[in-house]
């Protein structure tokens, strides 16, 4: 955007309603300040710019749109101007040789050539279409709104040194926002009005260009047509001019190879993993996850001593959490060191180590056995094995390795800094040299860095001046910005600091209780007297003794606070004796009531680190509440007084005199100053470290839950082996009801994943003789489908409790009609079949799939609920594949209620490790992955691979012919013309986890390629097979020579003699391998034996059916903590009679109020009917007496005596863990406030009414859909109501409703007004015509192609990236304004060099408001924005 346009409007307009609107604070009822929106009025400047300036700015913008990578923009623009100027000069020279008749003829035959007159400057080139063409260009299709300026180059007007006379409207030139201000289609009235405006605004032209051809030439239309036939249009040689320009372009810009970054935006390349960095990862022969994790530490190469230190460091980190025998510590340390060697030296990833180096994770002890004469063949030793490390521990070692590398990197940087300091003079610091090698945490290293920069700040500045290259820039001289502590250290005052008799380091040494005790010596005079001496006074900074003493105390305190040893003392004290306490704020006092989820810790006290470790989610919720300003989390030291006394004794002198007392008092003051600083530092550090620890704990819990979900094989049909993929019929009612038409969708999925059939049912009710109701109309069709397709299992799921009813109906049909699955052969060899099993399926993946882009690609013609059924069926067929297909969306699945408290990136990292473990346990058929994208999703989790290497692997296999015959082919085969798909190191990691189905008819097929056996162990497998077949060396050699290396195992399989390997004594094999080759292979030999019998046997557990609690949570959305017996909940009354009431809870559960629990009001006569007390569809409060989670039913009571006893969460806390005194005081304080206000709780008979405050309303709507509403009491009085509706996730609008014409205090007003200008007669009309109307507009906005589901900053960043990638284009988008519910941002950027601006867009009933102009739909809003922007731009030009 040019500077002239920049100054015309604010980049960010203020929000506001009409001037007569008034808004009120929801809680306090106080009027809030209003802001006025920018309405498009022009801002006149005191000086007017010449048109020439505007034209030059426009030309500069146009020229800057063309970008070349190898040249600066100014150089490119200069060359282009020179080239164009040269061509124009040549054409002008040709024009000068034409006589007047020729010029007139050109003017007649070519209307866009201009006649020159004495009164008018000469235009070198002027191309303007006819008037009707101009109108057509203005009214363009909305799809071309951001068409490239290249398409309009032939319509531009370019000026030479002489310009046309300036015109005040500026319409003699195209502005720099030409591509931004294109118009969309309008209706006839709008087009006529626009045409009239343009005709009025455009002055009559005196030249040929821009007027009708007959006027310009003086010819009628027929003569003009004859002239055209004779002389042509004048553009016959445009092709030659284009070739000339192309040739010149090639001379100026040599042809370069087109790369992806020349075509796609950087963000698109990053999203598709196609950046240069991604390509480097793709082609580097190192496991992808290693490359990404070690990226910040590529430059670090650990020395042998550092490797040993790392192994011990990691062991010390992990040992406290391992519950192993203390005698196993040495073996544990060796195991950790060996794993590190595998990871760092051999570059082996976790699954490889766990699968093929398992022996190093186990500690085996051999105990000699007494010889038993009765059993001479008994083993001589009793071997016991203890597992030292599991697979999760291996991932921890990898993370610890990264942390240690970061530690080494930081230490190395400090060592370089220290060497730089030493180079400035004869400097040696024993504290640094002692503490740095002993630093074991990043906090300790940071302490040393703070100490170094504090102690040697002057030397660091001097070094920066003399060596600017090492610092990146030159700093000012040190004397210009010396700190107070530098002045003290370099002045006389520091003599008083020395007189304190002990250094900060010596004091810290005493506090650490390490080394020899350091004693404090007193001076001969009091500190205040010493400070008044001339030797210490240091004017002008410290002219008095009082200032000198104060500065000395501050300096001594700062040295104590900066001492690494003292910080270590304080940190150890906080971790050993620190306790966490939670204190409510004033805001929290009001907002956290007994039903609030934060009430659990509102008065929590004395929580030790062990308590936090047991409940990490509690601490994370405390920090979240602190961020919201509701509580304050503090840490204090237990027995702090004793701790302070010990520190003082370490600091004080032992002398007894007045002078000694004075010095000890000064030391005490300095210590108090230092401890105040250290307390703040330690609390902040401890809180952050504890937060990170708790996040890791919660993430690991989620990882375990995810592992359990992954560790289930496909649903096992009866009579089939584990791992067989079933044929599935899946049905769902979604969120609908069973009595609605076409409510039930179904899909039939074959075992290969193909969806062969789908449809809908509307009524599957079975015959009910008691009610004389026959089978539903679709029961026969359902039975026919089952008998025809013969599914192995029927899966049912949905979003509501109606799913349970559908499940029961289908079970009844299967039972009644004896529906059976496919036949199978039993143990006796007889064919049999069993009744079909109907199961409720976990739908967490299906919910993500049904609306995903992947589902639209897989099944473009299916309804969302049918796609949901497809995902249910595929989940039954292979849960792991379904989870793998989710990609990064896996974090949307709920594993624990507190997982939202963990950053998504950290959560994704932990979940990915679980997926890697399970995929490598099951292996991937590489040929299936080549042909099936569904299986290909698993490749990125294979050991050694990742998303980049997996895509490269598939690409290379396809180039090699699309089929892999052996594992060796993956590293390439030049003789066969096979390209390498992976490098040797990556192949070593992934080879055993990519299997190839064994084909007995294929001579090159190797049985071991279909097993978990690694190629490095193939010879062991062949040796075991030969021993099992009892072949001698000659037999083996003959067999191998005839049939190849795999001949022995092929013979074992052919003879069906696999069970013979069970007779082998593997202990002897293992001993020989360890003795001869120093290889521990006992566990590997067991794996080979198992794989020779059953290759890649299914090791996952049986498919896990949902438990009662899991089904309850899935269908209701309620957890065992959110809905329990004793809780009071709102219910809607569905059926009323004199003996019972049927109700429904908000979660869909059916409730029953039995006789005797309806009412106990004393003012209700006995003969009053229940229907006179309650009405249908009324919302009332009820208490839960009993809850049947399996049948999804509840027993309720409406008795007021029960409702008056509020439900309180059962927070069982020890006496010292809960501040009951503060709780009681706050309860009494709130009661007093309520008594003062004297407000009566309103109850309105409306299904959407809830007795909530604003916070409760937002929590209630949190799980609801967009546009859902709650009507609630208002804090502004009895003549107001509040309506809260959900705009979007975590965005809620609170609407104040004024009630007029009220019959009494408790009735609803007959007239309801909103904002003083919207009037409604009842609540239903208000909901439909106001709230729902706005919700439709929000849906329209969010469904528009220009809407971005991003924050304002992210949208601005996106626009900036877009215009950088497309410098000729302008762009705009909409995004949500979460600070002002009901508003959106219209964010725009008019070109690459323009600033990003935004306007507010307000949602009102059935319209949008932008700059105080209403627009009925998004198309009108977009067109209106462009017209407003164009008017503002043109107004500025004038």
């Amino acid at each position: 955007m040019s500077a002239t346009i920049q100054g015309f409007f604010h980049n960010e307009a203020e929000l506001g309603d009409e001037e007569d609107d008034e808004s009120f604070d929801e809680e306090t009822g106080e009027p809030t300040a209003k802001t006025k929106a920018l309405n498009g009025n022009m801002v006149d400047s005191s000086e007017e710019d010449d048109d020439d300036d505007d034209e030059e700015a426009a030309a500069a913008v146009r020229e800057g749109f063309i970008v070349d990578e190898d040249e600066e923009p100014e150089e490119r623009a200069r060359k282009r101007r020179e080239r164009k100027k040269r061509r124009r000069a040549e054409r002008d020279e040709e024009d000068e040789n034409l006589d007047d008749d020729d010029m007139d003829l050109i003017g007649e035959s070519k209307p866009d050539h201009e006649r020159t007159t004495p009164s008018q400057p000469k235009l070198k080139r002027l191309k303007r279409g006819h008037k009707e063409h101009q109108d057509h260009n203005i009214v363009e299709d909305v799809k071309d709104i951001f068409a490239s300026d290249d398409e309009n180059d032939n319509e531009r007007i370019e000026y030479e040194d002489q310009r046309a006379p300036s015109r005040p409207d500026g319409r003699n030139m195209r502005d720099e926002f030409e591509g931004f201000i294109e118009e969309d289609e309008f209706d006839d009235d709008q087009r006529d009005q626009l045409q009239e405006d343009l005709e009025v605004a455009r002055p009559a032209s005196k030249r040929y260009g821009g007027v009708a051809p007959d006027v310009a030439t003086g010819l009628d239309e027929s003569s003009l047509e004859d002239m055209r036939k004779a002389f042509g249009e004048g553009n016959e040689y445009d092709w030659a001019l284009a070739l000339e320009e192309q040739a010149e372009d090639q001379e100026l810009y040599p042809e370069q190879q087109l790369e992806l970054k020349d075509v796609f935006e950087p963000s698109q390349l990053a999203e598709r993993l196609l950046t240069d960095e991604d390509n480097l990862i793709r082609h580097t022969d190192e496991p992808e996850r290693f490359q990404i994790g070690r990226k910040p530490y590529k430059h670090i190469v650990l020395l042998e001593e550092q490797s040993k230190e790392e192994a011990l460091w990691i062991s010390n980190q992990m040992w406290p959490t391992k519950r192993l025998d203390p005698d196993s510590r040495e073996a544990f340390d060796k195991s950790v060191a060996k794993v590190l060697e595998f990871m760092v030296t051999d570059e082996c990833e976790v699954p490889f180590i766990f699968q093929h180096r398992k022996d190093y994770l186990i500690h085996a002890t051999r105990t000699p056995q007494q010889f038993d004469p009765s059993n001479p063949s008994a083993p001589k030793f009793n071997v016991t094995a203890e597992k030292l490390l599991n697979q999760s521990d291996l991932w921890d070692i990898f993370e610890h390795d990264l942390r240690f590398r970061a530690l080494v990197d930081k230490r190395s940087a400090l060592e370089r800094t220290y060497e730089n300091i030493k180079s400035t003079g004869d400097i040696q610091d024993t504290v640094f040299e002692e503490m740095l090698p002993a630093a074991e945490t990043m906090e300790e290293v940071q302490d040393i860095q703070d100490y170094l920069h504090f102690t040697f700040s002057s030397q660091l500045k001097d070094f920066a001046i003399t060596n600017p290259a090492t610092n990146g820039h030159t700093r000012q001289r040190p004397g210009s910005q010396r700190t107070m502590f530098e002045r003290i250290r370099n002045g006389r005052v520091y003599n008083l600091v020395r007189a304190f008799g002990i250094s900060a380091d010596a004091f810290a040494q005493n506090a650490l209780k390490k080394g020899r005790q350091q004693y404090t010596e007193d001076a001969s005079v009091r500190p205040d007297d010493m400070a008044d001496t001339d030797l210490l006074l240091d004017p002008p900074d410290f002219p008095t003794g009082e200032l000198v003493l104060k500065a000395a105390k501050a300096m001594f305190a700062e040295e104590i606070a900066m001492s690494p040893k003292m910080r270590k003392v304080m940190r150890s004290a906080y971790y050993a004796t620190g306790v966490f306490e939670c204190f409510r704020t004033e805001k929290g006092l009001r907002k956290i009531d007994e039903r609030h989820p934060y009430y659990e810790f509102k008065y929590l006290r004395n929580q030790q680190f062990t308590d936090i470790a047991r409940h990490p989610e509690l601490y994370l919720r405390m920090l979240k509440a602190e961020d919201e300003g509701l509580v304050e989390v503090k840490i204090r030291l237990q027995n702090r007084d004793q701790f302070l006394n010990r520190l003082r004794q370490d600091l004080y002198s032992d002398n007894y005199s007045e002078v000694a007392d004075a010095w000890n008092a000064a030391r005490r003051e300095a210590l108090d100053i230092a401890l105040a600083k250290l307390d703040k530092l330690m609390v902040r550090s401890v809180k952050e470290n504890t937060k990170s620890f708790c996040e890791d704990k919660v993430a690991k819990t989620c990882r375990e839950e995810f592992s359990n979900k992954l560790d289930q094989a496909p649903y096992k049909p009866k009579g089939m082996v584990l791992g067989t993929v079933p044929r599935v019929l899946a049905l769902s009612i979604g969120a609908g009801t069973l009595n609605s038409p076409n409510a039930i969708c179904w899909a039939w999925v074959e075992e290969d994943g193909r969806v062969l059939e789908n449809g809908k049912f509307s009524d599957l009710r079975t015959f009910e003789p008691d009610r004389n109701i026959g089978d539903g109309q679709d029961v026969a069709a359902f039975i026919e489908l089952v008998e025809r397709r013969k599914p192995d299992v029927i899966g049912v799921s949905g979003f509501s409790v109606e799913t349970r009813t559908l499940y029961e109906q289908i079970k009844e049909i299967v039972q009644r009609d004896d529906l059976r699955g496919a036949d199978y052969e039993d143990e006796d060899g007889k064919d049999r079949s069993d009744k079909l099993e109907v199961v409720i399926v976990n739908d967490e993946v299906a919910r993500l799939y049904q609306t995903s882009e992947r589902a639209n690609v897989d099944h473009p013609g299916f309804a969302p609920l049918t796609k949901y059924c497809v995902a249910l069926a595929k989940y039954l067929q292979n849960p792991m594949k379904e989870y793998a297909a989710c990609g990064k969306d896996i974090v949307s699945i709920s594993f624990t209620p507190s997982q939202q408290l963990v950053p998504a990136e950290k959560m994704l990292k932990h979940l990915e490790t679980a997926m890697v473990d399970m995929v490598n346990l099951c292996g991937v058929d590489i040929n299936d992955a080549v042909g099936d994208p569904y299986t290909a999703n698993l490749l990125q989790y294979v050991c050694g691979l990742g998303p980049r290497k997996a895509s490269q692997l598939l690409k290379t296999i396809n180039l090699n012919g699309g089929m892999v015959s052996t594992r060796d082919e993956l590293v390439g085969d030049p003789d066969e013309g096979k390209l390498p798909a992976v490098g040797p190191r990556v192949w070593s990691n992934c080879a055993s986890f990519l299997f190839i189905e064994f084909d007995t008819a294929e001579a090159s097929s190797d049985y071991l390629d279909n097993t978990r056996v690694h190629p490095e162990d193939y010879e062991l497998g062949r040796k075991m097979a030969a021993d099992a077949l009892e072949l001698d060396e000659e037999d083996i050699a003959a067999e191998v020579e005839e049939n190849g290396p795999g001949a022995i195992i092929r013979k074992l399989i052919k003879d069906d003699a696999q069970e013979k390997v069970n007779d082998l004594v593997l202990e002897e094999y293992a001993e020989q391998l360890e003795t001869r080759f120093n290889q521990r292979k006992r566990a590997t030999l067991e794996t080979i034996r198992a794989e020779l019998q059953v290759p890649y046997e299914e090791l996952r557990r049986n498919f896990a059916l949902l438990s009662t609690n899991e089904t309850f949570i899935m269908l209701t959305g309620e957890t065992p903590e959110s809905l329990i017996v004793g809780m009071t909940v709102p219910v809607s009354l569905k059926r009323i009679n004199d003996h019972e009431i049927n109700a429904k809870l908000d979660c869909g559960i059916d409730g029953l109020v039995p006789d005797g629990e309806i009412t106990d009001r004393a003012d209700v006569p006995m003969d009053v009917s229940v229907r006179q007390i309650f009405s249908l569809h009324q919302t009332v409060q009820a208490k839960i007496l009993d809850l049947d989670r399996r049948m999804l039913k509840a027993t309720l009571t409406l008795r007021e005596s029960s409702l008056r006893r509020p439900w309180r969460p059962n927070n069982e806390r020890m006496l010292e863990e809960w501040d009951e005194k503060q709780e009681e005081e706050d309860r009494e304080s709130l009661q007093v406030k309520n008594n003062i206000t004297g407000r009566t709780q309103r109850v309105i008979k409306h299904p959407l009414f809830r007795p909530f405050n604003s916070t409760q309303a937002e929590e209630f709507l949190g799980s609801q859909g967009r546009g859902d509403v709650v009507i609630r009491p208002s804090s502004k009085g009895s003549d107001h109501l509040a309506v809260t509706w959900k705009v979007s996730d975590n965005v809620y609008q609170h609407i104040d409703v004024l009630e007029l014409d009220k019959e009494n205090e408790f009735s609803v007003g007959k007239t309801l007004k909103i904002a003083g200008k919207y009037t409604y007669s009842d609540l239903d009309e208000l909901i439909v015509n106001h709230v729902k109307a706005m919700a439709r507009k929000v849906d329209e906005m969010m469904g528009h192609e220009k809407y971005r589901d991003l924050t304002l900053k992210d949208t601005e960043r996106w626009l900036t990236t877009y215009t950088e990638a497309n410098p000729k284009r302008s762009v705009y988008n909409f995004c949500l304004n979460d600070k002002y519910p009901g508003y959106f941002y219209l964010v725009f950027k008019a070109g690459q060099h323009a600033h990003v601006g935004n306007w507010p867009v307000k949602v009102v009933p059935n319209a949008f408001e932008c700059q105080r102009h209403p627009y009925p739909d998004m198309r009108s809003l977009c067109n209106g924005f462009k017209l407003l922007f164009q008017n503002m731009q043109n107004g500025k030009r004038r």
Side-chain angles (χ1 to χ4, degrees), residues 436-504:
L436 185 63
E440 295 184 347
T441 65
M442 290 298 289
E443 291 80 10
E444 293 179 359
V445 176
Q446 185 62 45
D447 293 342
I448 298 171
Q449 177 177 313
D450 293 344
Y451 165 79
L452 200 65
H453 283 262
F454 169 74
T455 306
F456 300 105
S457 56
S458 298
Q459 290 83 350
L460 286 171
K461 290 179 181 179
D462 292 342
F463 181 82
I465 292 171
T466 57
N467 300 272
T470 61
N471 197 48
H473 62 278
T474 303
R475 296 187 180 182
Q476 296 180 347
R477 298 195 67 81
S480 60
Q481 290 186 344
R482 293 176 63 189
T483 64
M484 181 189 74
F485 296 117
E486 287 182 63
R487 296 197 300 271
I488 294 173
R489 186 184 291 113
N490 297 324
R492 300 177 181 178
V493 178
Y494 199 70
N495 292 320
L496 185 58
V497 178
R498 295 190 183 98
F500 273 80
I502 188 172
S503 66

Side-chain angles (χ1 to χ4, degrees), residues 1129-1145 1149-1160 1170 1174 1178 1180-1186 1193-1200 1202-1203:
V1129 296
V1131 299
S1132 177
L1133 307 184
K1134 298 302 180 184
R1135 191 167 65 88
I1136 301 174
N1137 59 42
D1138 290 337
H1139 301 291
E1140 65 180 22
I1141 297 177
N1142 293 101
K1144 189 173 284 291
L1145 280 68
I1149 291 178
D1150 290 325
L1152 175 66
V1153 184
D1155 192 15
E1157 298 293 341
I1158 296 177
T1159 183
D1160 59 354
V1170 175
F1174 300 103
Q1178 179 183 353
V1180 298
Q1181 296 293 313
K1183 178 172 283 191
I1184 301 175
L1185 299 179
D1186 183 59
K1193 293 182 179 179
T1195 304
L1196 310 170
T1197 179
L1198 301 178
R1199 295 165 59 92
E1200 291 195 359
S1202 298
L1203 296 176

Side-chain angles (χ1 to χ4, degrees), residues 33 86 133 268 383 460 607 619 672 730 749 970 1027 1035:
R86 185 171 66 252
H133 293 164
Q268 292 176 310
V383 180
L460 286 171
Q607 293 297 291
Y619 179 72
D672 290 342
V749 182
L970 296 176
D1027 290 348
D1035 294 335

Side-chain angles (χ1 to χ4, degrees), residues 513 639 641-651:
K513 306 301 181 187
N639 305 319
D641 292 339
Q642 291 87 331
F643 177 72
L644 288 179
N645 287 334
R646 288 198 300 271
L647 289 180
R648 289 166 184 163
Q649 294 304 316
D650 294 328
L651 180 63

Side-chain angles (χ1 to χ4, degrees), residues 24 133 232 262 353 467 557 601 663 725 906 1018 1231 1296 1324:
F24 299 85
H133 293 164
D262 301 324
I353 297 172
N467 300 272
F601 50 78
W663 276 108
V725 178
K906 180 179 286 189
Y1018 278 10
Q1231 186 64 40
D1296 177 38
D1324 290 328

Side-chain angles (χ1 to χ4, degrees), residues 114-126:
E114 183 185 53
R115 296 174 185 264
T116 58
T117 61
S119 60
Q120 181 179 0
K122 180 179 179 181
L123 283 172
K124 299 292 184 182
R125 290 176 65 192
L126 175 56

